[in-house]
Amino acid sequence: MKAPLHPLLEDVQLECRNGWYNIVRVLCEQLQDQADRFGAPEPKVLEVKEKYGTLHFYANQCSQTQYALIELAEELSAHTCEVCGKAATLRRFGWLQTLCDEHAEDAGT
């Protein structure tokens, strides 16, 4: 079994592609940092998935700052290729996907 990207994700199955893993990992580090350094609650991550072409990160027990970090990560995913992590655009192929030019070509064929 593969180790989770971060301990906050230990019981969570990621339902997104590899290109967003760095966004998810950094977000978890920031959420944990808020808890460790500033006394924010330790979040309970419920679900991480792609929905409507962007990342959706669901967690309970978050401070306003932690929810703002989640919102920022979700917005960042709309500009990050879900396949490779490069700069990307939200595109429609009958469904929405955030893809770089290279992976958009692959998806369009």
Side-chain angles (χ1 to χ4, degrees):
M1 175 181 244
K2 189 168 126 179
L5 294 175
H6 190 276
L8 290 177
L9 301 170
E10 192 166 323
D11 297 324
V12 178
Q13 180 177 346
L14 299 182
E15 298 176 33
C16 65
R17 294 168 85 178
N18 295 359
W20 290 343
Y21 282 10
N22 193 51
I23 294 172
V24 173
R25 182 187 53 75
V26 170
L27 172 59
C28 287
E29 289 172 358
Q30 292 173 333
L31 295 175
Q32 189 66 58
D33 186 58
Q34 287 292 310
D36 294 345
R37 292 182 46 204
F38 303 108
E42 178 135 345
K44 170 68 176 148
V45 180
L46 305 171
E47 189 174 22
V48 178
K49 67 181 183 177
E50 178 276 329
K51 185 174 181 181
Y52 303 117
T54 60
L55 179 70
H56 288 259
F57 189 99
Y58 300 96
N60 283 344
Q61 305 171 35
C62 292
S63 69
Q64 287 183 328
T65 300
Q66 288 168 315
Y67 280 124
L69 290 167
I70 292 169
E71 194 173 306
L72 181 63
E74 291 175 342
E75 176 61 30
L76 182 60
S77 75
H79 305 282
T80 305
C81 181
E82 59 188 87
V83 177
C84 69
K86 293 180 183 175
T89 305
L90 188 61
R91 303 166 194 257
R92 182 179 299 274
F93 296 102
W95 62 93
L96 293 170
Q97 291 183 286
T98 302
L99 299 171
C100 64
D101 290 341
E102 178 185 340
H103 288 106
E105 272 186 34
D106 295 343
T109 58

